[in-house]
Amino acid sequence: MGGGMQMSFWAFACLFFLSFLQQAAARRNGFVKTKGTHFSVNGHPLFVNGFNSYWLMTIATDPTQRNKVTSAFEQAAACRLNVARTWAFNDGQYEALQTSPGVYDEHVFQALDFVVSEAHKYGLRLILSLANNYADFGGKAQYVQWARNAGQNLNSEDDFFTNPTVKGYYKNHVKTVLTRVNSITGVAYKDDPTIFAWELMNEPRCPSDPSGRTIQGWIEEMARHVKSIDGNHLLEAGLEGFYGESKKENNPGFYVGTNFITNNQIKGIDFATIHSYPDNWLSGSDEEAQLSFVKSWIQSHLKDGKRILKKPVLLAEFGKSSKDPGFDISQRNNLFGVIYKNIYASARRGGAGGGAMFWQLMAEGMDSSGDGYEIVLSQNPSTSSIISAQSHKLAELTHLLTKLYEYEKGGHAHAHPREGWHLGSTGGRD
């Protein structure tokens, strides 16, 4: 993997860059919608090949570092990635967006404005997460502490999901972000098609109630709240995909107080999400066992998405850490290959596979911020090639299905019913 290969890859990728941006500009004017188990824009199919970059707003608070956001987006667009997932929260921490309940740092909000504006420039859409389950960037622990400071007698971080004061704080944050008018574009977030979807929380968990009912009630209430403010955008809950009691055999050996089926059946939740970290969840097993789990994990959820939920399923996080014992880049590439193969097979068969988003994309010069899962596209040519190949295959599929859509519009709908296209076997199933 020498410098010659690295330069060759990027020279090749850049040949497609301008044409991709032009095509993306033509598509991004519409809001993303769902039609059955598929995403669509302006009636045309949309498949996600995306990435996570939680750090975008935080880095953008320093104007001298905003080039890292631009670089990440530029390299992502060159690989024809189309959706980024990032945080629209930082509660009470360093460079906080929300410094105390209902109090916001305008400088940090302008950093998020930059991220949204820059994403639009590079033909990317954003999934914006509105809170964190974990203490990083504040999370539900910060909300609970704020309520305690206000005189509430709370015993657990899980009171986040039930305490009226805490829920009021969260609802206010939702409204503040959704109604924010971008200082660069002049467009309110709730009116901006650059935003693919809102996410209620990153990986909500409620271990004090393993039945999933506590989180069920919270999602129901917050989904209604989001939709009362913004009827344009899709909404997802941020779930990892853990099942409840009825399908516990599909879990990697533990519960987190969520239920993939019932939580995603809630009205207002437009699509389901799953995450997959076999190196973390099955840390004592070998690569073969981890890859086998990934296949089963994906196929089980795609099957449920199609047959029970009747909604798209997005693999919103997956990755392989370079900090794992005995790590080799081929292990990461194998994982990406297995995941992309299953997602593409589902998409081609008309299944519920809406796409996948790896964790995580970083720019050059961010070595100190890495968590082991980071990928700098310009420095990882073999992995970048796999990512680009998936983008290319999904783009070809989109083109074909768009032609079928146009054929239908011409009065031939009975010949090609879109709600269940099947374009041949590719080795996956759902």
Side-chain angles (χ1 to χ4, degrees):
M1 306 296 179
M5 175 180 288
Q6 190 168 325
M7 289 299 294
S8 174
F9 169 77
W10 285 106
F12 179 78
C14 288
L15 290 175
F16 298 96
F17 185 46
L18 290 177
S19 62
F20 170 72
L21 289 183
Q22 291 169 350
Q23 295 170 18
R27 293 191 299 268
R28 67 191 177 200
N29 291 328
F31 291 96
V32 179
K33 301 296 181 182
T34 60
K35 184 174 178 63
T37 57
H38 315 122
F39 295 119
S40 67
V41 179
N42 299 325
H44 294 196
L46 171 66
F47 299 106
V48 174
N49 198 30
F51 61 96
N52 288 267
S53 290
Y54 74 88
W55 49 268
L56 296 172
M57 179 180 70
T58 300
I59 287 292
T61 58
D62 181 352
T64 68
Q65 296 296 306
R66 288 186 175 183
N67 63 303
K68 290 182 171 60
V69 175
T70 301
S71 175
F73 284 171
E74 184 175 23
Q75 292 185 35
C79 285
R80 302 184 75 175
L81 294 167
N82 56 2
V83 181
R85 175 172 171 263
T86 193
W87 298 168
F89 62 81
N90 186 354
D91 305 304
Q93 309 298 301
Y94 175 73
E95 296 286 11
L97 174 63
Q98 185 177 198
T99 57
S100 60
V103 179
Y104 290 82
D105 187 326
E106 176 62 20
H107 172 69
V108 180
F109 238 141
Q110 289 177 9
L112 186 57
D113 293 343
F114 173 79
V115 171
V116 175
S117 174
E118 203 74 352
H120 175 80
K121 184 186 300 183
Y122 285 93
L124 295 163
R125 295 180 189 267
L126 298 171
I127 295 177
L128 295 181
S129 189
L130 295 165
N132 203 6
N133 177 73
Y134 311 105
D136 304 278
F137 298 91
K140 62 185 184 185
Q142 180 63 76
Y143 276 92
V144 168
Q145 186 58 50
W146 279 335
R148 286 175 177 147
N149 295 344
Q152 296 290 303
N153 182 21
L154 304 180
N155 299 315
S156 164
E157 290 180 8
D158 287 353
D159 289 333
F160 173 92
F161 299 109
T162 57
N163 179 265
T165 297
V166 175
K167 290 193 291 183
Y169 292 160
Y170 175 82
K171 285 181 178 180
N172 181 74
H173 177 65
V174 168
K175 182 177 180 180
T176 301
V177 174
L178 271 58
T179 59
R180 167 74 177 182
V181 176
N182 193 306
S183 60
I184 298 172
T185 67
V187 179
Y189 285 14
K190 67 185 182 67
D191 299 323
D192 193 343
T194 305
I195 297 170
F196 182 104
W198 302 110
E199 177 177 278
L200 291 179
M201 172 177 271
N202 172 51
E203 299 187 342
R205 294 182 172 190
C206 186
S208 63
D209 181 8
S211 73
R213 286 188 290 270
T214 295
I215 281 185
Q216 181 82 4
W218 182 81
I219 294 174
E220 289 174 346
E221 181 176 351
M222 299 311 164
R224 287 193 301 269
H225 180 63
V226 170
K227 293 295 186 177
S228 73
I229 300 169
D230 180 358
N232 290 322
H233 289 101
L234 301 180
L235 176 66
E236 48 98 350
L239 298 169
E240 299 159 272
F242 296 110
Y243 287 99
E245 180 67 25
S246 64
K247 298 191 71 174
K248 63 181 180 181
E249 67 278 3
N250 291 310
N251 289 338
F254 56 91
Y255 295 97
V256 297
T258 63
N259 186 318
F260 175 75
I261 300 297
T262 59
N263 295 162
N264 282 304
Q265 286 178 319
I266 292 170
K267 182 179 180 181
I269 297 301
D270 298 298
F271 63 96
T273 60
I274 61 173
H275 297 181
S276 185
Y277 290 104
D279 62 339
N280 181 279
W281 298 348
L282 305 172
S283 58
S285 59
D286 60 20
E287 182 184 12
E288 183 180 356
Q290 291 180 12
L291 291 179
S292 177
F293 169 81
V294 167
K295 293 177 188 177
S296 298
W297 184 250
I298 293 173
Q299 290 172 2
S300 172
H301 288 86
L302 295 186
K303 178 180 176 181
D304 290 335
K306 185 173 184 178
R307 299 184 183 182
I308 300 176
L309 300 177
K310 304 187 188 306
K311 297 177 181 181
V313 177
L314 179 65
L315 178 50
E317 284 189 29
F318 70 92
K320 172 72 175 175
S321 175
S322 61
K323 297 180 180 180
D324 291 341
F327 172 82
D328 185 272
I329 192 65
S330 64
Q331 298 170 347
R332 177 181 284 166
N333 291 345
N334 289 340
L335 176 68
F336 277 50
V338 166
I339 287 173
Y340 285 158
K341 179 180 180 180
N342 279 269
I343 293 298
Y344 178 75
S346 175
R348 186 175 174 86
R349 289 166 178 260
M357 308 178 69
F358 66 86
W359 183 282
Q360 62 166 322
L361 177 66
M362 284 192 162
E364 296 92 339
M366 298 183 66
D367 295 347
S368 62
S369 301
D371 59 359
Y373 292 90
E374 71 278 1
I375 295 172
V376 179
L377 292 171
S378 61
Q379 298 173 0
N380 292 268
S382 63
T383 308
S384 297
S385 295
I386 294 169
I387 293 168
S388 293
Q390 177 76 348
S391 295
H392 178 72
K393 289 172 67 176
L394 290 176
E396 285 189 330
L397 181 59
T398 300
H399 177 73
L400 175 58
L401 294 175
T402 297
K403 291 296 184 183
L404 291 180
Y405 167 78
E406 293 171 350
Y407 185 76
E408 290 176 9
K409 284 187 67 176
H412 306 283
H414 295 295
H416 295 282
R418 272 198 307 141
E419 275 303 305
W421 63 70
H422 189 298
L423 302 178
S425 176
T426 58
R429 57 186 172 83
D430 62 284

